[in-house]
Amino acid sequence: MSGDFEPEQKRYLEGFMAGLQIAKTSRSAAGNGAAAPPANAATAEPIGPDAAALRAQDRTIKAGGKLSDPEKFKRELHPFDGYEKLKEQAANNEAPKPDDNFRWRFFGLFYCAPTQKAYMCRLRIPNGILSHRQFSGVGELAERYAGGYAHVTTRANLQMREVEPKNAVAMVEAIQDLGLSSRGSGADNIRNVTGTPTAGIDPQELIDTRPYAREWHFHILNDRSLYGIPRKFNVGFDGGGMIPVLEDTNDIGFQAVAVKDGFGVAPGIWFKLMLGGITGHQDFARATGVIVKPEDATKVADAVVRVFIDNGDRTNRAKARLKYILDAWGFEKFLAAMEDKLGHKLTRAPEQALETRPPFDRLAHIGPHPQKQTGLHWLGVVLPVGKITAEQMRGIGKVAEEFGDGDIRLTVWQNLLISGVADDRVDAAQAAVESIGLSTKATSIRAGLVACTGSAGCRLALSDTKRHAEEIAHWCEARVQLDGPLNIHLTGCPNSCAQHYIGDIGLVGTKVQVSEDGDQVEGYHIVVGGGFGPDAACGREVFHDVKAEEAPRAVERMLKAYLGHRASADESFLAFTRRHEVDALKTLIETQAVE
């Protein structure tokens, strides 16, 4: 340092320059997900939007924990700081290595090798509602950059498959050109925000969920600090409408409730706060005793997520969901931590202060149903286990534009609704849907048929769920006539994307050994008696290691046992299965004759 400075000035400048270097290192750690040099660990406190997540990782390391690989990937290079790397890989038509395969999921891109040497691209669609132009536009993108089709998911969302690496960036950017987004739709992020699909048009709804789902959607998109969670996170809004949202299977479920007078809180419509749903781990969101003013839902959800960021497990992916904090802490400790984040107490109300929720109609997502607006209907369109071609997407867009109000509403039941169809145009709209190879009619078996992607497109799946679901439906429809709703869920692995545990009948993929040499074929374990909402419970396993080729007959036997032994014509399949012990059920089922 120049001799022109006095010793005191030199010391000041040396300290100033050291401070700048520490700040620079901290900014690098916060912005790029990189760890600060060990020598500065005590002074280089992370700053910036990623600071809370970095501090949580630092605490884990300091306590002697070993970060999981995805936590290391995020720490080495935050996905949102890697866009130029993604572009370079696209320019070279290069497949990602495991670390980048994880990172690019933050942009909605999942590389599906070895099943498919291509990406799956998933969108974000708040409340599952998009315009006919957007829906048709996604069809165009599916044709231009993907395999020419899309899947409607169990989060009322769209995903496109067979996107070659060279088309990955073009796909992501073209989605934004449509006014949609794929940002944060995979990996350790808050996933697509679900809401009542008939929001604003449902005759029985308590509240229109669209503005609240939309507010939370944009809150997530525009706050990078919310991308520091240790595992995926789901939020659902139920407005009390006819079609279930399955909000009780989410990490946060906001359930619209009518609060009675005389319980110390203002009467009217509130959201009941439910926490910890993850049915793949056999748990539903549980009541917290808290009610939330609808206009405060985003603030409350934000507090939940920030407590999760600070305290979620960064070492064991299997225990990194919100449920496990709640199990370890109990609800009161977690709610107290939320109140610290909010800076005020939460509002409590006893269950007896809440009116009973209006009932579900388990077939309201199929066919025409009157809207609250006089003279209008919504029209539920059946998709074969959620699959729709690009040509059909353009066709549905035209039907929605010509016959409806222009909106297309996706449901968690892997189908869609066209809203705003005038009474005198319902028949014509149905005919137009039929003309593009789809239908607005379904048997009870097909109306409640749900299947994940399966082994045709997912490396984790142990069975080809979509194909087997169609085989079950085709077989059973020709042999069994049901007079009430039924849900059959097929999921390819224990991650349970198709939520097999909540189905009347649930099938989870497995490999069945068929020889002493270890030869295996696709198969399923089968559970029965699952439910949601007021019937929430996980199904019980009745059959283990059923070969996929035998699954249609197994389901046929179940349905025939139900029809032959139910207590009355009014007894549902759910009630029938819950009325019997597992061994008794197996006996009834196994004695049924099939072809």
Side-chain angles (χ1 to χ4, degrees):
M1 191 166 287
S2 171
D4 294 338
F5 293 102
E6 296 294 329
E8 184 175 345
Q9 292 173 313
K10 290 181 182 179
R11 287 194 297 274
Y12 172 80
L13 290 171
E14 286 168 354
F16 178 75
M17 294 302 294
L20 286 178
Q21 183 60 41
I22 290 171
K24 180 179 178 181
T25 301
S26 298
R27 284 194 297 273
S28 175
N32 297 321
N40 294 333
T43 56
E45 179 73 11
I47 60 173
D50 306 322
L54 289 168
R55 285 194 295 267
Q57 291 177 338
D58 290 344
R59 287 193 296 271
T60 297
I61 295 168
K62 187 175 181 180
K66 182 180 178 181
L67 295 179
S68 65
D69 285 344
E71 290 296 312
K72 293 175 185 176
F73 298 156
K74 291 183 287 187
R75 192 174 178 89
E76 291 162 2
L77 174 67
H78 192 287
F80 291 150
D81 294 326
Y83 196 64
E84 290 303 314
K85 187 177 183 183
L86 172 61
K87 288 171 66 177
E88 182 179 348
Q89 289 177 10
N92 296 325
N93 199 27
E94 177 186 340
K97 291 182 170 59
D99 56 345
D100 285 336
N101 184 18
F102 175 81
R103 291 188 185 100
W104 304 157
R105 295 175 190 182
F106 278 60
F107 298 100
L109 296 166
F110 298 66
Y111 197 67
C112 299
T115 306
Q116 294 174 337
K117 293 183 179 180
Y119 287 104
M120 177 268 283
C121 183
R122 181 186 294 152
L123 277 62
R124 299 191 72 97
I125 306 171
N127 213 115
I129 301 175
L130 67 172
S131 73
H132 67 90
R133 291 185 181 86
Q134 290 173 322
F135 193 74
S136 298
V138 173
E140 294 286 350
L141 299 186
E143 196 164 67
R144 188 186 314 164
Y145 297 126
Y149 62 94
H151 289 155
V152 176
T153 77
T154 54
R155 292 206 63 76
N157 200 357
L158 290 170
Q159 57 189 33
M160 294 162 284
R161 309 194 74 87
E162 302 179 45
V163 181
E164 292 184 60
K166 66 182 180 182
N167 292 326
V169 170
M171 175 67 87
V172 168
E173 293 180 354
I175 287 167
Q176 294 182 46
D177 288 338
L178 291 174
L180 297 169
S181 176
S182 62
R183 185 180 179 91
S185 61
D188 298 347
N189 288 301
I190 305 166
R191 302 297 183 83
N192 191 49
V193 186
T194 57
T196 297
T198 50
I201 63 173
D202 197 307
Q204 73 170 37
E205 71 180 356
L206 300 175
I207 197 169
D208 182 344
T209 59
R210 289 175 296 180
Y212 309 105
R214 178 181 170 83
E215 181 183 9
W216 178 237
H217 167 82
F218 282 105
H219 183 74
I220 298 164
L221 287 183
N222 292 296
D223 190 336
R224 174 161 159 163
S225 66
L226 296 174
Y227 293 84
I229 60 178
R231 203 68 167 84
K232 73 174 184 179
F233 197 92
N234 293 323
V235 181
F237 292 83
D238 171 49
M242 293 182 183
I243 301 176
V245 181
L246 303 180
E247 77 289 343
D248 54 357
T249 68
N250 287 250
D251 296 276
I252 302 177
F254 286 111
Q255 296 178 339
V257 291
V259 177
K260 305 172 189 175
D261 199 1
F263 287 89
V265 295
I269 305 302
W270 295 65
F271 281 128
K272 177 180 177 181
L273 179 65
M274 309 283 288
L275 293 178
I278 173 173
T279 54
H281 294 222
Q282 300 194 47
D283 212 349
F284 287 83
R286 288 161 278 167
T288 60
V290 169
I291 57 173
V292 178
K293 292 180 179 178
E295 61 268 27
D296 292 336
T298 288
K299 293 177 184 176
V300 170
D302 181 274
V304 175
V305 173
R306 294 191 190 282
V307 175
F308 182 46
I309 289 171
D310 291 346
N311 300 283
D313 195 318
R314 304 276 173 172
T315 64
N316 183 355
R317 301 283 287 177
K319 301 292 184 181
R321 293 291 295 271
L322 177 65
K323 161 188 161 60
Y324 294 100
I325 301 177
L326 295 169
D327 288 349
W329 286 14
F331 274 64
E332 287 306 315
K333 180 177 177 179
F334 192 90
L335 294 174
M338 286 175 57
E339 290 172 338
D340 287 343
K341 296 289 186 185
L342 289 165
H344 63 76
K345 292 290 185 182
L346 294 160
T347 302
R348 312 291 182 109
E351 281 294 321
Q352 58 266 34
L354 313 179
E355 297 279 4
T356 302
R357 186 202 186 280
F360 297 123
D361 178 350
R362 288 173 60 182
L363 296 176
H365 62 290
I366 303 295
H369 296 268
Q371 297 182 188
K372 68 164 57 175
Q373 295 83 8
T374 302
L376 297 179
H377 284 71
W378 75 75
L379 187 60
V381 179
V382 182
L383 306 180
V385 284
K387 186 173 181 179
I388 184 169
T389 68
E391 183 178 0
Q392 289 170 334
M393 293 180 78
R394 289 191 292 268
I396 287 291
K398 290 178 181 177
V399 174
E401 180 183 20
E402 181 179 350
F403 295 96
D405 57 18
D407 281 348
I408 292 166
R409 297 159 176 262
L410 309 179
T411 84
V412 299
W413 304 103
Q414 295 187 303
N415 75 322
L416 60 87
L417 315 177
I418 297 170
S419 52
V421 180
D423 291 353
D424 61 356
R425 306 198 75 195
V426 169
D427 290 344
Q430 289 181 290
V433 170
E434 297 281 348
S435 72
I436 59 175
L438 297 173
S439 178
T440 59
K441 302 178 180 68
T443 63
S444 294
I445 291 171
R446 196 173 292 274
L449 191 64
V450 174
C452 71
T453 298
S455 58
C458 176
R459 65 181 179 83
L460 299 177
L462 301 172
S463 56
D464 190 350
T465 53
K466 288 193 183 294
R467 177 169 63 86
H468 297 148
E470 284 292 326
E471 289 172 355
I472 289 170
H474 181 76
W475 178 270
C476 291
E477 282 175 327
R479 292 163 175 82
V480 183
Q481 299 299 312
L482 293 180
D483 49 11
L486 180 82
N487 290 341
I488 303 176
H489 295 236
L490 288 84
T491 197
C493 75
N495 287 327
S496 194
C497 291
Q499 300 181 321
H500 69 288
Y501 276 120
I502 69 168
D504 291 298
I505 299 173
L507 298 89
V508 57
T510 189
K511 294 296 185 185
V512 180
Q513 187 168 322
V514 293
S515 76
E516 294 181 359
D517 295 330
D519 296 324
Q520 295 179 323
V521 297
E522 292 182 342
Y524 294 93
H525 308 315
I526 304 179
V527 304
V528 297
F532 52 87
D535 297 316
C538 290
R540 300 171 294 163
E541 184 175 289
V542 288
F543 294 114
H544 198 78
D545 284 353
V546 177
K547 295 177 187 176
E549 65 184 24
E550 296 173 358
R553 290 177 178 83
V555 174
E556 179 192 359
R557 286 189 179 94
M558 292 178 186
L559 299 181
K560 285 184 173 178
Y562 158 62
L563 292 175
H565 296 277
R566 58 184 175 178
S568 71
D570 295 328
E571 185 175 40
S572 67
F573 184 89
L574 175 67
F576 166 75
T577 54
R578 291 186 180 180
R579 184 164 56 82
H580 293 84
E581 295 297 327
V582 168
D583 287 344
L585 269 177
K586 289 177 69 172
T587 299
L588 287 175
I589 294 166
E590 288 171 342
T591 57
Q592 299 302 307
V594 297
E595 295 179 19

